[in-house]
Amino acid sequence: RGRVIKTVGNPKERFEEDLSEGGIAGYETSMRLKSPGSIFFHALINDFMLEDMVDIYGVRFLTEELEDTYKIAQLLIKKYGLANCCSHEWSGSQTPGYIDWIKNPRPNGFRSLEYFIKMEEGTTMNIQGRTKDIEKENEAGLAAHKFYKKRQLTKFQSKCLEDEEFRKAKYKHSETLINSFLRSYQGS
């Protein structure tokens, strides 16, 4: 996590400059860096290793008009290119590095344009774009992040209780993850 901050710098400022040069204005930007606990849980439930995580760092753009959400994506993808990765939640038919949850919402109603770009420093950046109205819809109902996290945890706990092989495999994976985390933090 520390290495991500050091190598990426401040992508918000960089992207705002890119969008200004591209003639795009009237949006809000926020950034997030996953907490170590969130990284660990995400890696554990999805059988990832720390070095396989592609969404440790994320930027969100909120626009007034849907058209601007797609314009921002086009500009950033043109400048940086799509990272060749897929989320564990994407079907095999999706373009690697890009999924349109606006046109094809998740079953819980979540909508967003999500894509991954490769920064010059080699870091993969998760970008999400949506309108302010879509953001309100996402946060008001079942798509709210708190419910999403709770469903993930409940599903994981149930599987651990019901399936001894699954539980053993996750225990072994957690040991490997802890060692990976320790190596990562010692190197930052």
Side-chain angles (χ1 to χ4, degrees), residues 4 13 20 33 37 41 58-59 87 95 116 134 154 167:
V4 171
E13 289 176 4
S20 177
L33 185 60
F41 180 70
V59 176
S87 167
T95 301
F116 294 86
I134 290 174
T154 302
R167 185 172 54 251

Side-chain angles (χ1 to χ4, degrees), residues 63-80:
T63 61
E64 293 293 336
E65 302 297 325
L66 189 56
E67 176 183 339
D68 293 333
T69 298
Y70 288 97
K71 283 182 184 176
I72 290 171
Q74 286 175 333
L75 189 144
L76 293 177
I77 291 168
K78 183 177 181 182
K79 175 157 185 165
Y80 298 99

Side-chain angles (χ1 to χ4, degrees), residues 98-145:
Y98 182 93
I99 190 164
D100 192 334
W101 296 113
I102 294 172
K103 292 180 181 170
N104 301 299
R106 288 182 183 172
N108 66 359
F110 177 82
R111 298 189 315 150
S112 185
L113 183 62
E114 184 175 8
Y115 48 102
F116 294 86
I117 58 175
K118 198 74 156 177
M119 305 299 287
E120 292 97 348
E121 300 85 354
T123 303
T124 302
M125 184 77 55
N126 173 245
I127 310 288
Q128 291 194 20
R130 50 188 167 262
T131 65
K132 293 175 184 176
D133 287 340
I134 290 174
E135 174 74 353
K136 287 177 192 168
E137 292 170 15
N138 282 349
E139 293 305 316
L142 289 175
H145 195 70

Side-chain angles (χ1 to χ4, degrees), residues 155-167:
K155 193 169 149 184
F156 179 76
Q157 288 171 327
S158 295
K159 184 83 171 164
C160 283
L161 290 171
E162 296 166 1
D163 186 336
E164 185 175 352
E165 289 302 314
F166 179 83
R167 185 172 54 251

Side-chain angles (χ1 to χ4, degrees), residues 11-100:
K12 180 180 175 185
E13 289 176 4
R14 186 187 306 183
F15 293 153
E16 288 172 348
E17 187 177 306
D18 294 338
L19 298 179
S20 177
E21 290 172 6
I24 299 174
Y27 57 87
E28 293 176 15
T29 310
S30 61
M31 299 185 314
R32 66 119 175 97
L33 185 60
K34 275 191 177 181
S35 70
S38 180
I39 293 169
F40 184 85
F41 180 70
H42 188 76
L44 180 63
I45 66 171
N46 296 298
D47 292 322
F48 292 157
M49 292 305 296
L50 181 60
E51 52 273 9
D52 299 327
M53 297 287 291
V54 294
D55 64 342
I56 291 174
Y57 203 80
V59 176
R60 179 179 301 162
F61 291 99
L62 298 178
T63 61
E64 293 293 336
E65 302 297 325
L66 189 56
E67 176 183 339
D68 293 333
T69 298
Y70 288 97
K71 283 182 184 176
I72 290 171
Q74 286 175 333
L75 189 144
L76 293 177
I77 291 168
K78 183 177 181 182
K79 175 157 185 165
Y80 298 99
L82 284 174
N84 187 16
C85 62
C86 288
S87 167
H88 64 282
E89 300 173 291
W90 299 3
S91 70
S93 63
Q94 298 298 330
T95 301
Y98 182 93
I99 190 164
D100 192 334

